[in-house]
């Protein structure tokens, strides 16, 4: 079904969440879509990620203030769901993260806003180009190793110098999804001796194909993959045995990047106090699961803490620290989604039966919308 308006107006919101520097769409992608949509951009929306108002104007967008943007746009774009959701005019379409946030869900239902919550994107081949979780996890995995390396007081690569030689550091990624695999690839490039572990059997081949060593703990501790490539949750008993089995491997590592997650659940505890106490002093842990509870017993989101000589970095929103490229990738995903929603000049297609749009909407809604 299509709408009658030939050129939907798409508005880029500036991010208001603390520490959020990314922009949901960058000038290059606006330019590429100029033939089918009209873009308006909130003043300063790209400033923190290195994209000036001037660059957006040169790409063909008009710069407006927030109030005008909210009222004039058919589709609003944000990285995060806007904090002032309650001021959005009823009936708009919003594309942003926040798809697993119950407060956002309540607010959009109340305002009759059609929220395409980006975490709800199905993990299918067709939707891959629109997957912001994957693109941002790629940034996070890279940034985690860089951040960990800066905190370490040893080299990652092997060095041979006139003053003597230096052994390469040992690194392990616990959780080898998109972020973990990128952490493995980055640590390999920096010359560390790299290991990887995941409860999904499919991860073994991916870890080994990057030249890292898969840490095998036996079949009893594997999880069956569930739909969409995500891991299933383990029982408390399995988790306890897993922690015990991992401890001796972890004691040999200098850098540990954890990214083990189960969507919609608290992150599994992989390193408890006992395991932390058996690590070599100087070990650095970068915990990418900090926001969902953390993979260690001492992780504090947004904080770096020391425990028995071990540094634990509770990483929060690492992609925002690399805002230019993180935005570029996020924007590429959004462009793919917009091209899917607006295939030609005839308007926005928003069908709840659609295999991508339906899950993104996430609520029983909307067969068609007026954009
Ligand atoms: P995620 O962020 O939900 O989890 C990260 C990793 O933690 C996963 O690999 C998971 O298996 C692992 N994990 C969970 N519990 C664990 C435990 N107790 N111990 C160790 N590891 C544990 O996952 P993700 O990175 O978003 O994606 C996982 C996989 O999904 C990817 O590797 C990929 O194969 C697949 N994927 C498919 C598509 C697609 O087809 N479009 C897109 C993205 C990802």
């Amino acid at each position: 079904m299509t709408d009658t308006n030939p050129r939907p107006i798409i508005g880029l919101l500036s991010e208001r969440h603390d520490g959020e520097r990314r922009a949901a769409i960058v000038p290059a992608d606006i330019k590429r879509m100029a033939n089918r949509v009209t873009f308006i951009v909130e003043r300063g929306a790209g400033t923190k990620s290195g994209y000036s108002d001037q660059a957006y104007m040169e790409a063909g967008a008009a710069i407006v203030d927030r109030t005008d943007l909210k009222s004039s746009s058919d589709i609003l774009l944000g990285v995060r769901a806007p904090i002032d959701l309650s001021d959005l005019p009823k009936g708009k379409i919003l594309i942003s993260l926040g798809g697993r946030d119950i407060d956002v869900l309540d607010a959009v239902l109340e305002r009759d806003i059609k929220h395409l919550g980006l975490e709800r994107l199905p993990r299918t081949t067709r939707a891959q180009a629109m997957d912001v979780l994957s693109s941002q996890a790629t940034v996070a995995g890279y940034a985690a190793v860089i951040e960990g390396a800066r905190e370490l007081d040893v080299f990652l690569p092997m060095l041979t110098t006139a003053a003597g030689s230096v052994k390469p550091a040992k690194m392990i990624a616990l959780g080898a999804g998109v972020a973990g695999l990128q952490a493995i690839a980055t640590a390999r490039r920096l010359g560390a001796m790299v290991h990887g572990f995941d409860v999904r059997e499919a991860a073994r081949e991916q870890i080994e194909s990057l030249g890292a060593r898969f840490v095998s703990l036996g079949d009893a501790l594997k999880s069956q993959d569930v739909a969409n490539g995500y891991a299933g949750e383990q029982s408390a008993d399995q988790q306890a045995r897993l922690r015990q089995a991992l401890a001796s491997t972890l004691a040999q590592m200098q850098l540990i990047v954890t990214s083990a997650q189960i969507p919609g659940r608290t992150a599994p505890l992989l390193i408890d106090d006992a395991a932390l106490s058996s690590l070599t002093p100087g070990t650095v842990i970068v915990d990418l699961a900090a926001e969902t509870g953390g993979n260690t017993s001492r992780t504090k989101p947004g904080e770096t803490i020391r425990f028995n000589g071990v540094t634990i970095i509770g990483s929060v929103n690492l992609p925002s620290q690399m805002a230019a490229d993180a935005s570029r990738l996020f924007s590429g995903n959004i462009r793919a989604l917009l091209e899917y929603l607006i295939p030609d000049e005839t308007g926005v297609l928003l069908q709840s039966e659609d295999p991508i749009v339906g899950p993104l909407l996430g609520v029983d809604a909307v067969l068609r919308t007026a954009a």
Side-chain angles (χ1 to χ4, degrees), residues 123-124 128 131 134 177-178 198-200 229-231 259-261 268:
R123 302 196 127 186
T124 56
Q128 215 162 359
D131 188 358
S134 290
V178 180
D198 198 294
V199 284
R200 285 181 305 108
Y230 288 119
S259 65
Q261 311 227 41

Side-chain angles (χ1 to χ4, degrees), residues 73-220:
S73 302
D74 300 309
I75 300 179
L76 287 150
L77 297 179
V79 173
R80 314 272 207 103
I83 47 179
D84 46 358
L85 256 176
S86 58
D87 290 346
L88 285 194
K90 289 196 170 184
K92 297 281 179 189
I93 300 169
L94 170 67
I95 300 177
S96 74
L97 293 170
R100 289 181 190 149
D101 183 332
I102 196 73
D103 293 335
V104 172
L105 185 63
D106 284 346
V108 297
L109 283 176
E110 196 187 313
R111 313 271 325 143
D112 188 27
I113 289 161
K114 293 146 194 94
H115 181 213
L116 282 79
L118 294 168
E119 296 93 337
R120 296 191 293 249
L121 187 84
R123 302 196 127 186
T124 56
T125 308
R126 180 69 189 84
Q128 215 162 359
M130 310 166 197
D131 188 358
V132 299
L133 290 189
S134 290
S135 73
Q136 303 305 295
T138 300
V139 182
Y142 169 86
V145 173
I146 303 300
E147 186 149 330
R150 287 180 64 94
E151 196 67 38
L152 275 174
D153 53 14
V154 295
F155 282 102
L156 286 183
M158 184 180 81
L159 289 186
T160 311
T161 78
S165 52
V166 174
K167 283 188 192 162
K170 289 186 177 164
M171 177 272 187
I172 189 166
L174 299 180
V178 180
L181 290 174
Q182 188 55 235
I184 286 173
T186 304
R188 285 268 300 156
R189 287 185 201 116
L190 289 173
M193 282 178 67
V194 180
H195 306 71
F197 170 72
D198 198 294
V199 284
R200 285 181 305 108
E201 181 58 19
R204 172 194 284 266
E205 198 187 322
Q206 292 162 342
I207 290 168
E208 289 176 346
S209 73
L210 291 170
R213 226 183 105 206
F214 178 75
V215 173
S216 179
L217 302 180
D219 287 349

